[in-house]
Amino acid sequence: MKTFMNKILSRRLLLILTLLATIFFSFVTFELNVLPLKYYIPMVVILLLFALLLYFIEKDKNDNHPIKVAFFKLVNIILAVALVFGSLSILKGSDFLASITNGGVQSVEIDVAVLKSSSYDKLASLKGKSFGANTSMGALDINKSETIIEDEIGDIKVTSYKTNNEVINALKNHEIEAMIVKEVELDSLNDIEKDFTDQIRIIKKIQIKKPRINANSAKVTKEPFHILISGTDKSGPIDTFALSDVNMIATINPTTKQVLLTSIPRDYFVDIVGMDGVSGKDKLTHSAKGGMNCTMDTIENFMGIDFNYYAKFNFTSFINVVDALGGITVKVPKYRVIGRDDGVFVTKKGHYTIKPGVNHFNAKQALSFVRERKAFVEGDAIRGKNQMLMLKAILKKCCSASIITKMDKVFESLSSSFETNMSAQEIKSLINMQIDDMASWDVQTYHLDGDASKRTSQLATVGDVTKFNKDGVFITLPDQQSIDKAKEYIQLVMKNEIVKVEED
C-alpha cells in the first residue's frame, strides 16, 4: 500500500500534473483574453519555474526529510487543484459574459384578456367569439398575435379601436368578449378605469419576437461613451418589454477614469420618439412600451446625445446580487420625510426603519429602500437618488478584492436579470485596462429635476385619463435648467475634463 501511494505521489507524477494544470490555465487565460500580455507572460513563466522548483525541492533519495517532502508535495497538489479550479472559474465567467452580452432578441408579450365575471377560462372557449384591440399603436404586433390565435382556434373577428378607452368600454359593454393587449400596457389601463386589471383575467399569453438592438460601438478603452441603464421591477425574462422604473445615462471616460451617472425621473413628461403610431408627450417610463430602442430614442431626443450601448436589468432579481456580495453598506442622507423632522423613514414594502447615516442592507432591505418614494416630500426624485446610491455601493463592492471569493454567487444572481448589447470582448478590454493600470475611478451623480405636482389629462400612449380622475394623472414636468446643467456636465466628461457635480 505504501509503495502504491509513493508511486501515486511521486514527484515526477506531481510535476506532470502541475505542468498540465499550468498549461490548461495558461491556455484558458490566453484564449479568453483575461490578462494583459505584460502580466500574462510573467505569470506563465513564474508558474512553470515554481512547478520545477517544487520538483527539485521534493528530491530526497535517502528519505532524510520526510516531513519537508510531504509538505512540498501538499503544496504541489494544492497548486494543481487551484489552477484547475481557477481555469473552470474563468470559463464560467466567460460563459456568463457570453450570456449577458451582444443584446438578445427582444420579446413583446401579448395577452388575451376577458372579464373575470365571464365563463371563458381558456382560448378554445373563445372560438367563434368577438375580439377587440387598440390598433392605433403597435398594429403589427396585434396582427401577428391574431395570426397565432387563429392557428389555434380558427378564424376570428378582431374589431379595431383607436384608443384603449374604447376597448375597455367595448369589453365591459359586451360588444366584444375578449381584448388583445400588450402585457406592458396593463398598468396604464388602470389610469383609464380604476382597478381595471382586477376586473379581467388573462387566459392566453403570446410571445412576439423583435430584432436585437445593435450597438453603436466605441473604442471603450480609449474614448468616452454613453450607456443607457434601464431597470424594471417586472419579473420574468429580461428580454421582455416592461416599463422602466430606472433610467440613467452613464457617461464613461476611460482616459480620465470618471463615470457620470445622470438619473431621470420615471414620470418625466417628454416627447415619445420611435414608437409606431404614437406622437406627443407621455411619461418617460411609458416609452418602454415600444422597447429599449424607443426609450433610447426618446432620451437621445431631449438630452441631445447618442447612446453607444444599453444595459438592462430586472431590479427585483438584480438586487439579489446584494446577498451574493454579503450585503451592501449605504450612507443614507437626511431627507425631508413626510410627518417627521429627524429624516427617519419606514419603507412601505417590508416596513423597514431606515435612519440617516450608514446602513447595512440585505437584498430584501435594499429592494425596499430603492423602491420607496411615498415617504419623502420630493417623492420620486429621492427614489432616483437612492437607486444611484445603491448602484454606486454595488459597483464599489464589485471592484473590491473581496469579490474574488464571491464571483460564482454574483454570476448566478446576475445571469437571468441583466443584459447588455456591449460585446464580451469590449467588457474584457475594460477589465484588462483596469488590471493593467489599477486606477481608481471617480463616480459622480446628477439627478434631473422637475415639478412632480403637475397633472395631465392626456398621455400619448394611453389617451384620455380623466375618466378615472377628472384632474388627470400626475407627471413630472421637466426643469429645463436642470436638463441644460446635465448636458453641460456630460459634455465636460466627453471632452476629457474632470467634473465635480455641485451638491443640491
Side-chain angles (χ1 to χ4, degrees):
M1 183 68 179
K2 185 176 180 181
T3 303
F4 176 74
M5 289 302 296
N6 285 339
K7 287 183 179 180
I8 291 294
L9 296 176
S10 70
R11 64 193 186 99
R12 186 172 297 174
L13 181 58
L14 288 177
L15 174 64
I16 293 172
L17 291 175
T18 304
L19 288 176
L20 288 174
T22 300
I23 292 170
F24 180 45
F25 182 76
S26 302
F27 175 77
V28 169
T29 52
F30 180 78
E31 281 295 307
L32 299 180
N33 194 25
V34 172
L35 285 174
L37 204 58
K38 75 176 187 179
Y39 292 119
Y40 173 78
I41 294 175
M43 178 200 73
V44 174
V45 172
I46 289 170
L47 285 173
L48 291 173
L49 290 176
F50 190 55
L52 292 172
L53 179 64
L54 288 173
Y55 174 73
F56 287 111
I57 290 176
E58 292 163 10
K59 186 176 182 180
D60 187 16
K61 280 188 176 181
N62 299 319
D63 202 19
N64 294 325
H65 306 285
I67 295 177
K68 183 190 79 169
V69 171
F71 172 76
F72 283 109
K73 284 185 175 181
L74 179 62
V75 172
N76 211 330
I77 293 170
I78 292 173
L79 174 62
V81 172
L83 288 171
V84 171
F85 273 97
S87 302
L88 294 176
S89 293
I90 292 171
L91 286 170
K92 187 173 182 178
S94 182
D95 288 343
F96 164 72
L97 282 180
S99 71
I100 67 168
T101 54
N102 293 316
V105 175
Q106 297 184 92
S107 179
V108 183
E109 192 170 89
I110 307 291
D111 293 337
V112 178
V114 298
L115 291 173
K116 276 186 178 179
S117 58
S118 73
S119 60
Y120 307 116
D121 58 353
K122 55 186 177 181
L123 190 60
S125 62
L126 287 170
K127 185 178 179 63
K129 303 300 180 181
S130 56
F131 292 72
N134 175 8
T135 56
S136 64
M137 60 180 189
L140 184 59
D141 294 331
I142 297 296
N143 290 338
K144 287 181 179 180
S145 62
E146 182 180 340
T147 300
I148 293 172
I149 294 170
E150 289 184 329
D151 287 343
E152 188 168 334
I153 65 172
D155 290 346
I156 61 173
K157 178 186 176 183
V158 179
T159 303
S160 296
Y161 296 94
K162 294 181 179 180
T163 67
N164 286 325
N165 202 349
E166 291 179 0
V167 184
I168 290 174
N169 288 334
L171 183 65
K172 295 189 69 176
N173 294 332
H174 301 287
E175 296 170 16
I176 58 174
E177 300 303 322
M179 67 185 297
I180 302 173
V181 61
K182 289 182 181 179
E183 172 79 19
V184 72
E185 287 277 0
L186 289 179
D187 284 343
S188 298
L189 301 184
N190 291 325
D191 289 332
I192 300 172
E193 179 87 19
K194 184 178 180 181
D195 300 326
F196 177 72
T197 52
D198 292 333
Q199 303 173 42
I200 59 175
R201 177 171 60 250
I202 308 299
I203 63 171
K204 179 70 176 180
K205 290 183 178 293
I206 300 168
Q207 297 290 333
I208 305 293
K209 299 299 182 182
K210 310 285 279 188
R212 69 179 71 243
I213 302 172
N214 294 323
N216 177 21
S217 295
K219 297 176 181 177
V220 294
T221 60
K222 297 180 179 179
E223 61 187 23
F225 55 95
H226 298 300
I227 302 177
L228 169 62
I229 300 176
S230 178
T232 174
D233 264 350
K234 186 183 185 301
S235 58
I238 189 65
D239 62 356
T240 304
F241 282 22
L243 298 186
S244 53
D245 288 322
V246 178
N247 287 292
M248 293 184 194
I249 303 168
T251 306
I252 301 170
N253 191 315
T255 302
T256 61
K257 308 298 182 186
Q258 189 166 53
V259 178
L260 173 64
L261 296 176
T262 305
S263 176
I264 310 172
R266 69 187 299 276
D267 292 341
Y268 235 36
F269 197 54
V270 294
D271 287 311
I272 301 297
V273 179
M275 191 182 302
D276 180 31
V278 173
S279 63
K281 293 184 181 293
D282 203 323
K283 298 178 181 182
L284 175 60
T285 184
H286 288 173
S287 65
K289 295 177 183 181
M292 182 62 65
N293 52 336
C294 179
T295 299
M296 295 173 76
D297 290 345
T298 297
I299 295 175
E300 287 177 345
N301 181 59
F302 76 85
M303 286 300 296
I305 63 172
D306 292 315
F307 284 112
N308 301 96
Y309 310 99
Y310 75 82
K312 181 182 179 183
F313 64 91
N314 181 323
F315 226 110
T316 305
S317 50
F318 176 84
I319 209 73
N320 289 331
V321 75
V322 171
D323 278 348
L325 290 169
I328 288 291
T329 299
V330 177
K331 187 175 181 180
V332 180
K334 183 178 179 180
Y335 297 124
R336 289 195 297 160
V337 176
I338 296 173
R340 297 189 67 143
D341 297 324
D342 56 4
V344 177
F345 63 93
V346 178
T347 62
K348 181 179 179 181
K349 184 177 178 64
H351 303 290
Y352 299 113
T353 299
I354 298 175
K355 301 177 181 179
V358 176
N359 289 262
H360 188 76
F361 298 127
N362 60 29
K364 289 183 178 179
Q365 293 166 336
L367 184 58
S368 298
F369 172 67
V370 299
R371 278 177 166 173
E372 186 58 44
R373 64 187 175 97
K374 293 192 175 181
F376 311 115
V377 174
E378 288 89 357
D380 194 57
I382 301 301
R383 178 167 67 171
K385 290 179 180 179
N386 286 341
Q387 288 165 351
M388 284 200 291
L389 286 174
M390 182 59 63
L391 285 176
K392 282 180 68 175
I394 290 174
L395 287 171
K396 183 178 179 180
K397 198 154 188 180
C398 282
C399 292
S400 68
S402 64
I403 189 68
I404 296 174
T405 61
K406 301 167 183 174
M407 288 302 292
D408 283 351
K409 290 183 178 179
V410 171
F411 287 159
E412 186 178 345
S413 66
L414 288 176
S415 60
S416 62
S417 60
F418 185 86
E419 177 187 86
T420 178
N421 61 346
M422 288 187 79
S423 69
Q425 187 56 49
E426 286 169 327
I427 294 178
K428 288 177 185 177
S429 296
L430 287 171
I431 294 172
N432 276 337
M433 179 189 70
Q434 185 62 25
I435 294 173
D436 190 29
D437 58 29
M438 298 301 289
S440 59
W441 286 72
D442 175 46
V443 180
Q444 296 287 311
T445 60
Y446 185 74
H447 186 81
L448 293 184
D449 289 329
D451 187 349
S453 67
K454 299 298 183 182
R455 290 177 180 264
T456 184
S457 61
Q458 288 279 338
L459 295 173
T461 68
V462 181
D464 183 11
V465 292
T466 58
K467 182 180 178 182
F468 170 42
N469 189 322
K470 62 181 179 61
D471 295 323
V473 296
F474 282 109
I475 56 167
T476 300
L477 193 66
D479 176 50
Q480 190 58 47
Q481 186 176 353
S482 174
I483 293 175
D484 291 341
K485 193 67 177 178
K487 289 180 178 180
E488 179 185 334
Y489 285 140
I490 289 171
Q491 284 303 311
L492 288 173
V493 174
M494 295 296 288
K495 291 178 180 178
N496 293 339
E497 296 188 35
I498 300 298
V499 168
K500 181 66 177 176
V501 174
E502 300 171 2
E503 298 292 336
D504 293 339

